[in-house]
């Protein structure tokens, strides 16, 4: 007997389970019963989902294959859609301001927004919806058809039946119309054979299958790719037998040549016929139309580009050739448009030089606008501001403007009291005056503190005139010192020309007098002076 494979915690539990089974076989221990109180047949393998017929088992013996746990809290019911519980006569406090129902608020109202809500009119109060809450089990949450009403499928059946009825009615009207026309022709034409054929054509067989489904394109059995030479498969022959063969369109011997091996006829078999009546104009038509013409132009471009020295080959690199051809077309279009724009810019376009209508020049329209004597708009240009479903212009804490209506020093605030602290209480004009007074007091304190601080006067440094400094014009020079300074300047220039005359021990005097500066300026060479060569 096969037993159920159970995982035991220890060898002792396994041994006790075997002893219990042996005792039950001998009748010394009570038989095992299920949750319904019925005895479990020990001869049925516990791992089988369906017992053999000879064991007379009414249901699966495994515990996990039976409904061993059912929670009474779970339910399989669904929402009562569209159910209403109460119809009020007037508006109630806390109800929806739009429709007047108590089961939702105005933000979640699904009715059309009224011009004046039910809160103010107390008319056309919407009934309260039925609100239910269910606790579904595992299967109930995942049941995609939970709550589906099978009666709604009757609408689908009615729609299809109405369509079939309309189709039958239309076919019957067409049949009667054709029979009436036939009867009118029957008076003029006395040939009975033709009338019988017309009757057969006018009969409408409603049981006739669609032509596309009835005609299965003449199946052809072929053997393809098997070890024995191919696998038997169905290959559909796409030739429509109703079409006239191309070689039968013109039986003239000197007409277009038909090649039976390739089944091709390049020339037009009926060149003199009306093009609107022909459905075959020869195989050459396919070569000069559609994608075949684009492929031919691509080949020509590849040949011409190769002749001009570009490394391009249609068979070796077809993707490269196609990409180059696309780039060539784009560049050609850009060049063409650039040339056209240049010509239009230079010579103009006479086609666009027509005079504009007077209505467009003066900006006339049919919109009526009324003005007063001062020129202000009274009526006609007002625009209705769209309102959202959210709260707007809600003033809190005695404010008369919303937060963000005022901006100063990179801070947002209230325009009514010029406060930058959000959710603060509005102080009005008094708060504005107090804030301005505090600001003025702070500025006066800062100014008083700045004036009270004694800044020491900067000490004037007496410096002698140095090289590059400017000497005032009203200075009085000593002629003797100026003569000595001129001599010193000549000696210094001689030393600069010949450094060998410079002594070893040189004493430098950093003090420069006004006479020395004047001597330097008198001896200085001005390169922009035209008479500089005649100075010395």
């Amino acid at each position: 007997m096969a037993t159920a494979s159970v995982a035991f915690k220890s060898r002792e539990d396994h041994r006790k389970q075997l002893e219990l089974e042996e005792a039950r076989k001998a009748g010394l221990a009570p038989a095992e019963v299920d949750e319904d109180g019925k005895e479990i047949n020990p001869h049925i393998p516990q791992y089988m989902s369906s017992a053999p017929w000879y064991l007379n088992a009414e249901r699966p013996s495994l515990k996990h294959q039976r409904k061993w746990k059912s929670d009474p809290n779970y339910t399989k019911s669904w929402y009562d859609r569209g159910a209403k519980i109460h119809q009020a006569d007037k508006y109630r406090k806390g109800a929806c301001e739009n429709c007047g129902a108590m089961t939702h608020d105005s933000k979640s109202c699904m009715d059309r927004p009224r011009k004046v809500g039910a809160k103010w009119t107390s008319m056309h109060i919407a009934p309260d919806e039925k609100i239910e809450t269910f606790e579904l089990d595992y299967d109930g949450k995942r049941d995609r058809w939970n709550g589906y009403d099978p009666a709604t499928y009757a609408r689908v059946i009615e729609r299809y039946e109405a369509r079939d009825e309309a189709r039958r009615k239309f076919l019957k009207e067409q049949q009667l119309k054709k029979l009436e026309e036939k009867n009118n022709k029957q008076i003029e034409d006395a040939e009975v054979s033709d009338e019988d054929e017309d009757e057969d054509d006018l009969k409408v067989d409603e049981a006739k299958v669609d032509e596309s489904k009835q005609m299965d394109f003449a199946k052809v059995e072929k053997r393809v790719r098997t070890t024995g030479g191919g696998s038997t498969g169905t290959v559909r022959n796409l030739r429509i037998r109703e079409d006239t063969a191309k070689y039968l369109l013109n039986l003239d011997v000197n007409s277009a040549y038909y090649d039976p091996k390739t089944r091709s006829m390049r020339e037009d078999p009926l060149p003199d016929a009306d093009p609107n009546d022909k459905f075959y104009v020869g195989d050459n038509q396919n070569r000069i139309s559609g994608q075949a013409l684009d492929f031919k132009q691509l080949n020509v471009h590849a040949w011409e580009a190769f002749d001009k020295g570009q490394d391009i080959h249609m068979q070796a690199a077809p993707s490269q050739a196609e990409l180059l051809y696309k780039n060539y077309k784009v560049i050609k279009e850009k060049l063409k448009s650039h040339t056209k724009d240049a010509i239009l810019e230079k010579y103009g376009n006479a086609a666009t030089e027509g005079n504009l209508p007077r209505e467009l020049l003066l900006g006339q329209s049919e919109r009526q606008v009324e003005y007063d004597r001062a020129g202000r708009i009274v009526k006609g240009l007002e625009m209705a501001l769209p309102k959202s479903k959210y709260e707007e212009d809600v003033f809190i804490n005695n404010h008369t403007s919303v937060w963000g209506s005022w901006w100063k020093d990179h801070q947002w605030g209230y325009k009514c009291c010029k406060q930058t602290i959000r959710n603060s209480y509005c102080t009005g004009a008094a708060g504005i005056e107090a804030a301005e007074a505090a600001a003025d007091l702070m500025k006066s304190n800062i100014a008083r503190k700045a004036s009270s601080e004694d800044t020491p006067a900067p000490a004037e440094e007496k410096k002698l005139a140095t090289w590059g400094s400017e000497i005032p014009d009203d200075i009085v020079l000593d002629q003797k010192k100026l003569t000595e300074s001129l001599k010193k300047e000549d000696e210094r220039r001689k030393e600069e020309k010949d450094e060998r005359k410079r002594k070893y021990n040189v004493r430098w005097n950093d003090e420069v007098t006004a006479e020395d500066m004047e001597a330097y300026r008198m001896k200085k060479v001005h390169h922009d002076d035209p008479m500089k060569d005649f100075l010395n």
Side-chain angles (χ1 to χ4, degrees), residues 88-337:
D89 297 334
K90 62 180 181 178
Y91 180 78
R92 296 158 291 175
K93 185 178 180 181
C96 176
E97 297 179 358
N98 185 41
C99 65
M102 288 289 294
T103 51
H104 61 269
D105 54 359
S106 58
K107 288 186 178 181
S108 57
C109 184
M110 300 300 293
D111 289 0
R112 179 184 61 83
R114 303 182 184 180
K115 188 174 183 180
V116 181
K119 180 179 179 181
W120 296 273
T121 59
S122 294
M123 295 174 60
H124 306 290
I125 304 298
D128 300 340
E129 298 91 349
K130 184 179 180 181
I131 299 178
E132 301 175 285
T133 55
F134 300 114
E135 187 176 359
L136 302 176
D137 56 355
Y138 182 85
D139 294 332
K141 293 178 182 178
R142 290 156 180 81
D143 188 4
R144 60 182 297 187
W145 294 100
N146 194 1
Y148 176 73
D149 188 9
T152 57
Y153 192 72
R155 302 176 185 174
V156 181
I157 298 175
E158 291 175 0
R159 185 168 65 251
Y160 277 93
E161 288 179 352
R163 188 191 66 178
D164 295 341
E165 182 66 26
R167 179 175 176 273
R168 284 193 293 268
K169 185 177 179 180
F170 176 75
L171 292 176
K172 189 174 182 180
E173 291 177 356
Q174 294 293 328
Q175 182 182 5
L176 293 174
K177 185 177 180 181
K178 291 182 179 180
L179 288 174
E180 186 177 353
E181 293 177 356
K182 180 192 68 84
N183 293 331
N184 294 333
K185 291 181 179 179
Q186 190 175 10
I187 300 173
E188 301 175 358
D189 192 359
E191 296 179 0
V192 181
S193 60
D194 295 340
E195 294 174 0
D196 295 338
E197 291 178 0
D198 292 340
E199 288 181 1
D200 295 337
D201 294 338
L202 292 171
K203 289 182 180 179
V204 179
D205 189 6
E206 295 184 359
K208 183 179 180 181
V209 187
D210 189 7
E211 185 180 0
S212 61
K213 297 181 180 178
Q214 186 181 17
M215 180 178 57
D216 203 9
F217 290 115
K219 294 182 180 179
V220 179
E221 300 292 337
K222 291 186 179 181
R223 298 180 62 82
V224 183
R225 292 184 183 175
T226 56
T227 55
S231 62
T232 303
T234 301
V235 180
R236 289 183 175 179
N237 185 8
L238 299 180
R239 176 188 170 193
I240 301 176
R241 301 288 180 177
E242 298 175 359
D243 294 343
T244 306
K246 62 180 71 175
Y247 52 83
L248 296 179
L249 295 175
N250 192 352
L251 300 179
D252 188 4
V253 180
N254 298 323
S255 64
Y257 173 72
Y258 174 76
D259 185 9
K261 184 176 181 180
T262 59
R263 296 180 180 179
S264 61
M265 181 182 288
R266 299 190 177 184
E267 298 179 2
D268 188 2
L270 300 172
D272 299 331
D274 187 6
N276 297 324
D277 298 337
K278 293 188 297 185
F279 67 94
Y280 180 75
V281 292
D283 295 339
N284 284 338
Q285 182 66 24
N286 298 329
R287 301 189 178 193
I288 60 175
S289 62
Q291 295 182 350
L293 184 59
D294 297 339
F295 185 72
K296 185 184 296 184
Q297 294 176 356
L298 177 60
N299 278 314
V300 173
H301 174 264
W303 298 336
E304 294 178 352
F306 182 77
D307 293 340
K308 294 179 180 179
Q310 291 191 11
D311 188 9
I312 179 174
H313 197 277
M314 186 60 198
Q315 281 71 33
S319 300
Q320 178 190 8
E322 187 174 359
L323 182 61
L324 291 176
Y325 181 56
K326 288 182 179 179
N327 295 337
Y328 164 75
K329 290 195 294 184
V330 170
I331 295 172
K332 185 177 180 181
E333 289 295 331
K334 287 183 178 180
L335 182 60
K336 188 184 295 184
S337 62

Side-chain angles (χ1 to χ4, degrees), residues 9 14 27 51-52 67 123 137 173-174 211 223-224 258 278 291 335 341 391 411 419 423 427 436 438 465 479 482 509:
K9 295 182 179 179
H14 192 193
K67 187 178 180 182
M123 295 174 60
D137 56 355
E173 291 177 356
Q174 294 293 328
E211 185 180 0
R223 298 180 62 82
V224 183
Y258 174 76
K278 293 188 297 185
Q291 295 182 350
L335 182 60
D341 294 340
E391 297 177 349
Q411 287 184 340
Q419 293 193 58
N423 296 329
T427 56
E436 292 177 354
Q479 295 297 330
L482 181 58
N509 188 6

